[in-house]
Every structure is written in C-alpha cells, then in structure tokens.
Amino acid sequence: MATHQFPALRRLIQEVGPVDQVGIDERVAKYGTRSIKKNAKVFGLKLATTMVDLTTLEGKDTPGKVASLCQKALHPHDDPAIPPTAAVCVYPAMVRHAAKWVKGTSVKIASVATAFPSGQAPLKTRLAEVRAAVADGADEIDMVINRGAFLAGEINLVQDEISAVLEACGECTLKVILETSELETYDNIRAASFLAMRVLRPGDFIKTSTGKTNLNATLGNNQVMLEAIRDFYFETGIEIAMKPAGGIRTAKQALHFLVAVKETLGDAWLSNSRYRFGASALLNDLVRQLVKEKTGVYQAPYTFSESSSAY
Amino acid sequence: MPAKKINPARELLFGNLWEYDPAPESAPAFIDNRYGLFINGKFVAPKTKKYFDSISPRNEEKLSEIALAGAADVDAAYQAAATAFKPWSKLPGIERAKYLFRIARLLQDRAREFAVAETLDGGKPIKESRDFDVPMAAAHFFYHAGWADKLDHVTPGRTLVPLGVIGQVIPWNFPLLMLAWKIAPALATGNTVVLKPAETTSITALKFASILQDAGLPPGVVNFVTGAGETGSAVVNHPLAAKIAFTGSTAVGKAIQRALAGTGKRLTLELGGKAANIVFDDAPLDQAVEGIINGIFFNQGHVCCAGSRLLVQESIAETILSKLKIRLKTLRTGDPLDKNTDIGAINSKAQLTRIQDLVAAGISEGAEIYQPACTLPKNGFYFPPTLFSNVSQSHRIAREEIFGPVLSILTFRTPEEAVEKANNTHYGLSAGVWTDKGSRILKMSTELKAGVVWANTFNKFDPTSPFGGYKESGFGREGGKQGLLDYATLH
C-alpha cells in the first residue's frame, strides 16, 4: 500500500500555516479599542468614502435605480469636500446603464459575474458572463470561487477556474470572492486566499463575501486575509488588494477595518487601489459622520436615507 | 496585458499617512492632596507625623502625599484588625458575602475613576487599567462573594475555619488587582486584614478605602498602612499576624520566610518569574507573535508571569523574529493616559535604571538588540520595547528577571530540549506553549515546572483559576478553591 498522503486541501493548509481562531478574534478586538478622534477621524471617514464600491445587487434593479446609484457615487453629498466613491458595483446586465453615467469619471464600474452569488453554473456560462460584462464597459470583475469544488478538495480546479476568469477579464481588475462564511474556518480562508493570490496579478483583489449569506465581512476574516496578503507579498513581492464586503454598515465599523489595514499592511494599502469596501448603506453613515464633524451636530435622521435602495 | 510593476523592496511602511490624534482619557481621578492611614474604618494621621510624595511616572509630577506608617501605626492597625476579627468571623457567610458583593458593585460604579487613578499612579496604559485591572479586581470580589456562604462545600465533609489577622504586602505592578487578590479571599473566609501597598502605588488602595466605607464594612476588618520596606517589615513581623501573604521580589520573599521561621505564622509567597514561552514550528505563527507581544509587553513587562524568555524552534526562528520586528513597529509607546497607548510608563526611576542596566548587560554579553524607532515623552520614565536575539542560557538577560519590556529570544531543536531549557531556571511561575498539536500541549504541560501553563495564549487570568509558583517563584495559590484553602484551616 502506498504511503498515506493528506488530501490536497490539508496539504495546502499545512503549507501556508494554520490560523488560531481564538488568537485572531482577540487580535481584532483590539482594533475596536483604538480611539479615532478629530483630524484622524475626518481623514479616516474621507478615506473610507473613497474606498466604497457602492453596490446594488437586487433582482429589482432597473436602469433608473442604477442611474441614481451612479449619481450618489459621483456626488455622495452637496459638500464638495466629500469625495466620490471608488466604484459602483452592479450585475452584468446593468453595466451598460451604469456606463452612461460614470464612464470617463473617476468612478469605476465593477460588475459581479460568474453566476454570482452561488457560482453554480457551467464554467462556459460563467466565462461568457464575464466577457459580456467586459464588453459592456466594466472596469472591474467580481467573481465567486467554486466553493463546492474547494470543500470537495478539488483545489486545483478552483485555481484553474480563477485563471480562466482572469484571462476572460483582459485588462479589467479582478476581485476574487472567497465567500468566507461558506468556507467557515480561518484555516480554509487563509488557504483559499493563497490559492487565489498565486494566480492573480499585482493590484487584483481578494474579497470576503457576496453579501448574500448570513455572515459576511468580519474583522476576523478581514484580518486572516490581510495577513495572507502580507505573507504572500513578502514571499513574492506581489501586492494584492483586499475588499471586505457585506455587513459593514456604520462609519465606526469601517474605521475599525481601516485600523486593521494600517496596523497590518501599513500606509501603502490605505488607498482605494489596494483596499475597498463592498457596501451600500455604509456611504450614508460616512457622509452623516463627516457632516457631523464639520458642523458639530448630527443632522435630522431624514437628511440621509437609511435604506440602500433609496439612493 | 501590461505587466504591472512588482515592488522589489518588500517592506511595509508604517508611517504617518493616517496618524491617530491624541486621545487622552479625560475622566477625573479624584486624588486627594494628602492621604492618612486607613485604620479601624477611618483615615488617621500617622504617629510618625511623616508623609512622602507619590509621583506619576508618566511625567514625574507629584500626585499626592502619602502617610508613612511606623511600627506604632502598624500596631494600631493590627489591634483594630484583631478586635474586628471575632465579630467578623462569627458573621454568617451570607452576610460577609453581601459586603463583598457591595464592594464589587461599588468598584464597578467607579470603574473609570479608578482606572484613571491607577494609570496616573502606576504608569500602565489606560486601556489596560480600564479593560483589565479594574474589571478583574471587581471580578475577584464577585467570585469570592459567591464562596463566602459555601465554605462548607469547599472540601466535602469538612469546614474552613479562618486564621485571624492576615498581614498582606503587595507590589506596584497591579496595585488594585493585587489588593483584590489578597483581600477578597481573606474576607470571604472570615479573616481580617492589615495590608501595605507598594510605596510608589498606594493611591488606589487609599481610594479603595472609601469604597469600604461606602459599603459599610465594619471598622477594622480591613486596614491600610502605607510606607516602604520598614513599614513592610513591621507588618510582617507583628506578633498578632496569623499569616503573611506577600507578592513581590524573590529576595524580599526569602527575607520574609527567614523572619517567619519558627514563629508559627502561615505564609504564602508569590514571587518573581522568568517564564518560557515556547513556540513550535507547527504553531499558528501570527497568533503566536501576538501572544509573545502580549506576554512580554503587557503592563510594560511589569508582570511576574511575563513571557520574558522566548524559546523558538530553530527552523522558524528567523520567521518569528522578522514577524516580531514588524509587529513592534505598530506598538505605540507613550503617555499611558492616551487611549491608543500600548506601552506606558515604567513604574519608577529605580525600575527604569534596573532595566537599563540589564539591557546594557545584554549588549555587552553579545546578544543582538532590536528596538523600533519611537519617540518617547521627554518627562517621565519610559523604555522602548526591546528584543534580544542570539541569547543563550548563560546570559544574564536569560536568567534574571528584568521586569520590563525586554524579550530574550533563544532557540531549541527538539521538545525535550525545550523542556530542559524552560525548566533550567530558579523560577517556575508560568510558561506558554504554542503548537497546532493538542497532544503535545498536554505532554508539555505535565513536564513544565510552572504553576500556570498557557496553551496558544498567554497572560490570561480568571478568579476561578488558581495562580502561583514552583521553586523560587513561591508557594501557595491565589484564586479558585485552592486560594481559599490558603486563608483557612480545615476542621
């Protein structure tokens, strides 16, 4: 009988090293105790605003909804000191509608593709979707990995599919969604991060989640992925970007995520070419806090819409 | 597709792109200009008529004047405690529990004030006094409030009988928490107390006296005498003491043990340490690094169980060292009152000098030093976080307790060598093991001669968990059921 060999996923985890869940959760709890005041707060809020991928991913999305989303991304508030967001993020069918509003501006068009959010479609279909989004004018593609294959241990298949999508992307930036809540363990999240990074180009992203499951971006999975990016950077010199998505609704949460970036990857990642927030409601809270910092008072609740569908 | 530029430098920049603004804790500490001695439920002037200054190590400014207790004052405290012992020990446990519970609640009510006072007086970062010292002190009173009426169940079929008046001498590293560790079990078991805080950190004990008054604790049950070594010696040698409980240096502990020999007084000692923190090559490395940082830089390394000797498996020594260096760059050393400070002020000038001397010895003995670039405040006592690599067992920095933010890094090759090196010390207070392999944790924990062994974590405390040492780290346990037994005889 042949020598026993661990399955491929177990070997990958051994190769990239394990993660201790208690330790990670303890580490990220400390980010929440950082006190961000005055100028540091204003800087952080503005930085976070420039990092938002303002997102609408609903069955009821219409050209009209996408138009107002684009306006919001370009001008989050009357105050010109509040910068535009990094991008809008829409379904492939909405890319051409978004293009009418933001093409030629600083706001990029990101499109989810590859049978988002489940990814459960034939590869051919997924790649066709990516090509269609690119053809319609997308600047960035947010793909989902094949979690079924990952959990079944077919990690080479997962990686090959990422490579195929990358090729279909052409010049577009690629963001690889791991869907952390379905991978479940920090060990798996770290392994999947490496799996993706090893085929990505500098400046491509790894991304936590689709926003369509119960548990999306957390400081914990954000930290695991930031540390993976750091270790990969030291190993290869390749700078991979990061995008937590889903569940970041308040400005305070966003600042805690940025503290994690500052203290794990440093100043070079504090830019929207290296770090993004996939969010919708977050933008209004960022604007609310920025106006509060400027005027010293909170505005009436109806000044900013709480609902992300009411841009 | 154009090939994007690859950064060949592979360095992370922890600069000032997004600098945190100062975030000083602004709550008032309510520190009196002058404190008397707390004897028989009242603040009284010392018979010595002498006072000494208590300064803040964060800026060397005077905080208050503290009464210097002489032998006559200590005697008055013991007389008060002896008088209070009979009614207090006869009180039903459930009644004593009520006092302890009240004390815990009052401490929680005034948590912020106490945290600020602790930071001003001792120099520890406000985030530690706020999130660790004060809540943990309250937790000890809560926990022992629970035991006070259940003493018949500590050891089935037998009951705990209090000893009498307990003399207690505590150190300056966790002033309020050590007070709680000492007072709570003593009161729960029905003893009365004469306690001397350390001379550099008396303020929170004296503030705590007002909590005892507010809780309506009967006069004399707890008495505070303040002063330095001579006062401590009077406390230790007083004939009315049924037991001495001491936390502090091994040298003083040995002197106390000699003084008490043949007197029939009971003794518990919680002394120094030089803990080994052992990292195996299969450990979760980033979490191990975090644990190493927490193990040595918590409370500026003023921790008797600090993980001051890092033992790393040779194959990962380089990796761990480079990860530690990066992590050190984001540690913030400075004003302990700032909420973002990770490493605060060294407790006293004397301690700072001791740390500087030992670090100089480390350099002259050939160990390799690393300190991150950091700007320290002009006034006050500060020392940057420091790593020593290429350290061997014979170096002074590997043998002597530095009690500062200084880590000595040694390597090992096999588990047996790790155990051998870890146990090759006079001390035996704590140890840490980092590995992904559960069975190895269990094996190591039985072989390490240390009172506490942490696995994949470090510096974790809980009132339910007994704490104490092996060898020259002392004897007796504090916390848990075992801690109660050190304040009672079994009948």
Side-chain angles (χ1 to χ4, degrees):
Chain A
M1 198 183 132
T3 331
H4 168 75
Q5 204 178 28
F6 283 123
L9 177 54
R10 174 54 44 197
R11 289 205 303 276
L12 178 61
I13 290 171
Q14 287 214 321
E15 187 192 332
V16 299
V19 183
D20 185 74
Q21 179 241 322
V22 175
I24 283 283
D25 293 346
E26 213 169 85
R27 173 75 186 109
V28 299
K30 289 182 185 162
Y31 296 138
T33 70
R34 287 295 190 216
S35 179
I36 312 293
K37 302 282 182 214
K38 300 175 202 148
N39 292 332
K41 186 170 183 184
V42 173
F43 183 93
L45 293 170
K46 282 189 181 167
L47 182 63
T49 306
T50 68
M51 290 171 164
V52 171
D53 281 3
L54 195 62
T55 302
T56 184
L57 296 169
E58 290 171 1
K60 61 179 178 181
D61 285 348
T62 58
K65 166 72 194 292
V66 169
S68 59
L69 183 86
C70 291
Q71 290 305 327
K72 182 79 177 183
L74 287 163
H75 309 286
H77 192 67
D78 305 338
D79 184 352
I82 299 179
T85 68
V88 290
C89 182
V90 294
Y91 271 120
M94 293 293 135
V95 169
R96 61 197 176 92
H97 301 296
K100 278 184 265 176
W101 300 100
V102 299
K103 240 348 175 204
T105 71
S106 67
V107 175
K108 301 263 196 317
I109 303 170
S111 175
V112 297
T114 69
F116 180 95
S118 73
Q120 297 281 20
L123 180 62
K124 216 167 91 179
T125 313
R126 283 181 269 155
L127 294 177
E129 197 187 357
V130 171
R131 288 194 197 99
V134 174
D136 277 354
D139 304 295
E140 303 175 344
I141 297 294
D142 290 31
M143 70 166 286
V144 291
I145 65 163
N146 188 339
R147 284 91 74 191
F150 183 89
L151 293 171
E154 297 175 69
I155 60 171
N156 289 337
L157 177 63
V158 176
Q159 199 168 38
D160 290 348
E161 288 185 356
I162 297 171
S163 298
V165 173
L166 191 69
E167 206 179 314
C169 273
E171 302 247 335
C172 290
T173 299
L174 180 62
K175 306 193 193 107
V176 182
I177 301 171
L178 307 182
E179 196 64 304
T180 49
S181 65
E182 293 186 354
L183 303 186
E184 198 172 309
T185 67
Y186 287 151
D187 280 346
N188 282 350
I189 294 169
R190 181 172 168 86
S193 300
F194 272 87
L195 206 58
M197 289 188 294
R198 285 174 181 174
V199 292
L200 291 181
R201 303 156 299 185
D204 284 334
F205 287 71
I206 52 174
K207 175 176 168 183
T208 57
S209 9
T210 59
K212 299 289 184 192
T213 61
N214 290 334
L215 188 66
N216 299 296
T218 64
L219 277 172
N221 56 41
N222 182 65
Q223 183 67 19
V224 170
M225 292 166 74
L226 291 177
E227 287 176 0
I229 289 171
R230 182 201 56 202
D231 294 347
F232 184 70
Y233 168 61
F234 280 127
E235 196 180 300
T236 63
I238 296 172
E239 292 146 323
I240 300 293
M242 169 70 191
K243 177 176 171 184
I248 305 167
R249 291 190 182 83
T250 67
K252 194 169 189 175
Q253 273 179 296
L255 290 178
H256 293 162
F257 276 75
L258 287 182
V259 166
V261 177
K262 174 179 161 67
E263 298 196 7
T264 308
L265 286 165
D267 293 4
W269 267 261
L270 290 174
S271 125
N272 66 7
S273 62
R274 297 270 180 87
Y275 199 76
R276 298 278 181 86
F277 291 107
S280 40
L282 171 64
L283 181 61
N284 271 335
D285 196 45
L286 289 168
V287 173
R288 177 186 292 122
Q289 300 298 335
L290 276 167
V291 172
K292 188 254 172 182
E293 287 302 306
K294 190 168 181 177
T295 61
V297 286
Y298 281 108
Q299 307 299 307
Y302 50 76
T303 316
F304 309 99
S305 156
E306 298 285 347
S307 164
S308 55
S309 59
Y311 283 134
Chain B
M1 184 177 73
K4 292 184 193 169
K5 217 179 111 214
I6 291 176
N7 183 350
R10 299 190 195 179
E11 268 177 33
L12 297 178
L13 176 66
F14 295 100
N16 56 4
L17 176 65
W18 182 29
E19 197 47 66
Y20 302 145
D21 279 322
E25 171 59 66
S26 54
F30 300 111
I31 295 173
D32 293 350
N33 292 330
R34 174 178 267 204
Y35 284 99
L37 306 168
F38 185 70
I39 294 173
N40 209 21
K42 288 190 295 283
F43 279 105
V44 295
K47 296 191 172 105
T48 59
K49 297 194 169 59
K50 284 183 196 156
Y51 291 83
F52 58 95
D53 289 349
S54 186
I55 63 157
S56 176
R58 76 184 260 270
N59 54 13
E60 300 172 62
E61 275 172 21
K62 180 172 156 181
L63 287 174
S64 182
E65 284 176 6
I66 311 289
L68 179 67
D73 298 302
V74 171
D75 183 56
Y78 267 101
Q79 298 298 344
T83 311
F85 174 68
K86 200 169 174 189
W88 177 252
S89 58
K90 294 279 178 273
L91 210 57
I94 198 163
E95 295 302 318
R96 291 201 304 273
K98 286 180 190 170
Y99 287 110
L100 289 168
F101 191 75
R102 248 178 255 161
I103 291 167
R105 287 296 305 272
L106 286 165
L107 187 55
Q108 284 187 321
D109 285 350
R110 293 168 62 185
R112 180 160 298 192
E113 169 197 343
F114 269 80
V116 176
E118 194 75 316
T119 286
L120 286 173
D121 197 23
K124 67 176 64 206
I126 184 72
K127 72 169 186 187
E128 287 178 13
S129 44
R130 177 194 66 200
D131 298 342
F132 178 75
D133 291 68
V134 177
M136 193 57 84
H140 271 267
F141 282 103
F142 277 123
Y143 173 72
H144 286 97
W147 269 124
D149 63 343
K150 301 174 192 70
L151 298 176
D152 292 345
H153 307 287
V154 175
T155 316
R158 308 181 72 179
T159 191
L160 270 64
V161 176
L163 302 172
V165 183
I166 315 289
Q168 302 178 325
V169 178
I170 59 171
W172 45 259
N173 55 345
F174 296 94
L176 185 67
L177 183 59
M178 288 300 112
L179 173 149
W181 279 29
K182 292 277 184 288
I183 293 181
L187 298 196
T189 44
N191 302 281
T192 57
V193 165
V194 174
L195 181 140
K196 187 193 89 69
E199 69 270 26
T200 59
T201 55
S202 306
I203 287 173
T204 42
L206 296 163
K207 284 174 69 67
F208 184 79
S210 70
I211 283 186
L212 299 179
Q213 288 175 324
D214 292 347
L217 191 73
V221 172
V222 172
N223 306 274
F224 294 132
V225 290
T226 43
E230 263 182 55
T231 313
S233 164
V235 170
V236 167
N237 293 312
H238 198 281
L240 282 177
K243 169 197 161 120
I244 299 298
F246 172 77
T247 297
S249 73
T250 295
V252 176
K254 283 179 175 176
I256 292 174
Q257 197 172 1
R258 272 194 295 272
L260 294 198
T263 61
K265 292 178 195 170
R266 299 227 337 218
L267 175 65
T268 48
L269 297 172
E270 201 265 89
L271 308 173
K274 191 76 189 174
N277 203 359
I278 304 166
V279 184
F280 286 96
D281 61 1
D282 65 339
L285 295 188
D286 282 306
Q287 290 75 61
V289 164
E290 211 48 44
I292 294 162
I293 296 284
N294 178 42
I296 186 62
F297 299 124
F298 179 57
N299 198 27
Q300 295 77 243
H302 301 330
V303 185
C304 40
C305 53
S308 51
R309 269 190 309 152
L310 176 62
L311 293 174
V312 191
Q313 195 151 12
E314 207 170 303
S315 54
I316 53 160
E318 289 285 318
T319 314
I320 287 283
L321 184 62
S322 75
K323 278 182 183 285
L324 277 171
K325 285 178 178 174
I326 292 170
R327 184 65 182 88
L328 246 55
K329 288 181 186 168
T330 53
L331 280 183
R332 304 169 66 87
T333 309
D335 183 1
L337 217 48
D338 192 299
K339 290 177 209 161
N340 289 327
T341 291
D342 298 316
I343 301 180
I346 301 301
N347 185 266
S348 65
K349 179 103 185 164
Q351 187 57 28
L352 181 61
T353 309
R354 176 170 166 76
I355 295 168
Q356 286 163 339
D357 287 352
L358 276 159
V359 166
I363 295 168
S364 71
E365 287 182 338
E368 203 171 303
I369 188 171
Y370 173 83
Q371 291 173 329
C374 58
T375 332
L376 301 178
K378 277 200 186 104
N379 298 320
F381 314 130
Y382 294 91
F383 198 83
T386 303
L387 304 178
F388 272 114
S389 50
N390 289 333
V391 178
S392 67
Q393 285 288 95
S394 56
H395 282 143
R396 271 183 74 196
I397 51 169
R399 307 205 67 79
E400 293 181 31
E401 186 177 35
I402 301 175
F403 226 61
V406 182
L407 179 68
S408 302
I409 306 174
L410 299 85
T411 58
F412 68 89
R413 293 161 297 179
T414 63
E416 197 181 311
E417 186 182 354
V419 170
E420 162 80 27
K421 281 185 166 166
N423 289 339
N424 180 6
T425 168
H426 294 294
Y427 298 113
L429 195 51
S430 66
V433 180
W434 296 84
T435 172
D436 214 30
K437 194 173 168 113
S439 58
R440 184 182 280 151
I441 291 171
L442 297 175
K443 183 163 190 287
M444 293 293 290
S445 65
T446 59
E447 291 178 357
L448 290 167
K449 299 295 170 229
V452 183
V453 179
W454 285 292
N456 291 335
T457 188
F458 210 90
N459 274 345
K460 287 282 170 295
F461 306 90
D462 193 277
T464 61
S465 172
F467 183 90
Y470 274 52
K471 299 190 282 189
E472 289 191 14
S473 290
F475 45 80
R477 291 292 179 266
E478 295 186 289
K481 230 162 78 166
Q482 293 82 351
L484 291 171
L485 296 173
D486 278 321
Y487 281 98
T489 48
L490 281 175
H491 282 257

